[in-house]
Amino acid sequence: MVDRLQHVGLVRREIARYALQTGADLLIIGHISHFSLGHWLQGSVAKALMRGLPCSILVAKKR
């Protein structure tokens, strides 16, 4: 099943909240490499989700 939703808020928090509420087994998220000071300080959404969620996460990197 694929869900497409729109939420307002901090991206990693909203994705994590939805995954926990629905009991997701797998999240598939995209990743685009950014090399900026802000990204370096805050980290990526993918990394934050991998550290904080109990489900499997597949990260698809843009070519």
Side-chain angles (χ1 to χ4, degrees):
M1 179 173 80
V2 175
D3 289 334
R4 294 180 188 196
L5 303 167
Q6 184 173 354
H7 290 257
V8 175
L10 186 61
V11 173
R12 61 188 78 168
R13 186 180 313 155
E14 293 302 316
I15 293 173
R17 183 184 336 230
Y18 182 75
L20 292 171
Q21 285 175 349
T22 61
D25 295 320
L26 173 67
L27 289 181
I28 302 172
I29 59 174
H31 182 273
I32 300 172
S33 296
H34 291 289
F35 297 102
S36 67
L37 179 59
H39 182 262
W40 182 76
L41 291 173
Q42 294 179 3
S44 73
V45 171
K47 286 181 184 177
L49 292 173
M50 286 189 279
R51 286 191 301 262
L53 287 176
C55 64
S56 297
I57 300 173
L58 174 63
V59 180
K61 184 176 178 182
K62 182 179 180 182
R63 287 183 175 217

